[in-house]
Amino acid sequence: QVQLVESGGGLVQAGDSLTLSCAASGLAFSHYAMGWFRQAPGKEREFVAHISGTPSTYYADFVKGRFTISRDNAKNTLYLQMKSLKPEDTAVYYCSARSGGGYFTPSDYDYWGQGTQVTVSS
């Protein structure tokens, strides 16, 4: 059974930093591309960042320069380092995985975690 478990969310103030983790099991982690998405209340799930097995990285425009996606294949873990957090970053953050190529849209990812809440106060 494939499992993706996010952790590291919490309540922080604007300008603070936070690092999210995603522990993967039940899949050949190094063979999967991984992504982070987020969803705020009343909004669609939106792309945040992606990392391939190469690895190469891709970011949504609204987080470039602030967020860094990385992976540790030895630990089967995906990370999202977030800096200079803004209230607009408040959302549930989801870890995702896919075995093939595609676009940075939720439908192109095969597996999902349950999400972790990030709340940024002003």
Side-chain angles (χ1 to χ4, degrees), residues 52-64:
S52 72
T54 304
S56 56
T57 60
Y58 304 87
Y59 297 93
D61 288 342
F62 57 82
V63 301
K64 282 185 177 179

Side-chain angles (χ1 to χ4, degrees), residues 69-101:
I69 187 171
S70 61
R71 64 193 297 159
D72 187 337
N73 288 343
K75 294 182 177 180
N76 287 359
T77 302
L78 174 74
Y79 302 97
L80 183 67
Q81 296 173 284
M82 303 183 291
K83 298 170 60 179
S84 301
L85 283 163
K86 306 173 181 179
E88 306 93 271
D89 296 319
T90 296
V92 176
Y93 283 71
Y94 296 92
C95 171
S96 59
R98 74 187 191 196
S99 60

Side-chain angles (χ1 to χ4, degrees), residues 10-21:
L11 174 63
V12 298
Q13 294 184 359
D16 284 355
S17 298
L18 197 63
T19 298
L20 306 182
S21 298

Side-chain angles (χ1 to χ4, degrees), residues 33-50:
M34 306 293 295
W36 287 100
F37 289 76
R38 69 187 188 185
Q39 188 166 21
K43 301 293 183 66
E44 294 184 354
R45 189 166 299 191
E46 65 180 352
F47 170 73
V48 176
H50 174 100

